[in-house]
């Protein structure tokens, strides 16, 4: 089932998320729905707060980047209760976007190498290292479960420049070709 994606301005994108356990109801269905929702919106990552659930869960599938970055072939994963234990290296810029913030893309600086601990969809505990674009996608989604959006990382000037755009997103004054839920949309 395709779920509506929560737009910028919704408090759920800012809330502290909670860890889940094996008893979390219908987790398989939720994960399937998140993949369906992400593919429908042509995203490469989706975090639970973006579909209104304040839990430590995100998914990624970087297949769309695999043509340019062969090491991303098959990079499809579920991260449950993740913790980034280390971030290293010299920061690099990449032009990021977000399904909750349609129509805005900006360069964001992040460190290139990460170590992450998490449970996969079968509740196997993993510790893995990622770098480059794979790390980037994980860092962006991880920020979501920490209540952080990529626009928070921009310079004060850039923030000022996109302020009205962000406001329009919250109000639903944008064109978007997937289902969204807008916090400030007034029903007409
Ligand atoms: Ni995002």
């Amino acid at each position: 089932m395709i779920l509506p994606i929560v737009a910028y301005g919704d408090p759920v994108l800012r809330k502290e998320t909670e860890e889940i356990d094996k008893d979390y109801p219908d987790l398989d269905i939720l994960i399937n729905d998140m993949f369906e929702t992400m593919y429908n919106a042509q995203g490469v990552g989706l975090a639970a707060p973006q579909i209104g659930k304040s839990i430590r869960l995100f998914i990624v599938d970087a297949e769309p980047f695999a043509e340019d970055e062969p090491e991303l072939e098959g990079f499809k994963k579920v991260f449950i209760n993740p913790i980034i234990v280390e971030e290293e290296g010299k920061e690099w810029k990449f032009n990021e976007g977000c399904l909750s913030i349609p129509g805005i893309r900006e360069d964001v600086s992040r460190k290139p190498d990460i170590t992450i601990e998490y449970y996969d969809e079968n509740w196997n505990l993993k510790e893995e290292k990622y770098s480059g674009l794979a790390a980037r996608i994980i860092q962006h989604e991880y920020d979501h479960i920490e209540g952080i959006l990529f626009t928070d990382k921009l310079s004060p000037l850039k923030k000022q420049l996109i302020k009205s755009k962000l406001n329009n997103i919250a109000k639903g004054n944008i064109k978007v070709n997937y289902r969204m839920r807008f916090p400030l949309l007034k029903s007409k």
Side-chain angles (χ1 to χ4, degrees), residues 50 97-99 140-141 144:
Q50 293 182 277
C98 180
L99 295 178
H140 177 112
E141 298 312 324
H144 274 299

Side-chain angles (χ1 to χ4, degrees), residues 108-180:
V108 178
S109 293
R110 299 185 190 270
K111 290 182 177 172
D113 305 309
I114 64 163
T115 306
I116 187 166
E117 276 178 19
Y118 66 99
Y119 290 90
D120 69 9
E121 65 276 29
N122 301 312
W123 289 96
N124 297 311
L125 181 61
K126 308 258 184 164
E127 187 187 277
E128 290 170 345
K129 289 182 185 295
Y130 291 97
S131 55
L133 209 42
R136 170 73 54 163
I137 296 167
I138 290 171
Q139 287 162 317
H140 177 112
E141 298 312 324
Y142 187 82
D143 273 354
H144 274 299
I145 62 168
E146 298 279 306
I148 299 166
L149 301 170
F150 82 91
T151 48
D152 301 346
K153 298 182 175 282
L154 304 177
S155 70
L157 176 66
K158 269 275 155 61
K159 279 183 188 156
Q160 194 57 38
L161 287 171
I162 62 168
K163 206 174 166 181
S164 66
K165 272 193 190 174
L166 289 174
N167 223 340
N168 279 327
I169 292 171
K171 289 184 198 155
N173 289 338
I174 43 151
K175 258 203 198 148
V176 61
N177 57 7
Y178 48 88
R179 234 177 119 199
M180 290 195 87

Side-chain angles (χ1 to χ4, degrees), residues 92-108:
W92 66 297
K93 282 186 179 159
F94 184 78
N95 200 249
E96 293 188 22
C98 180
L99 295 178
S100 293
I101 314 176
I104 297 182
R105 298 197 70 91
E106 295 290 345
D107 284 352
V108 178

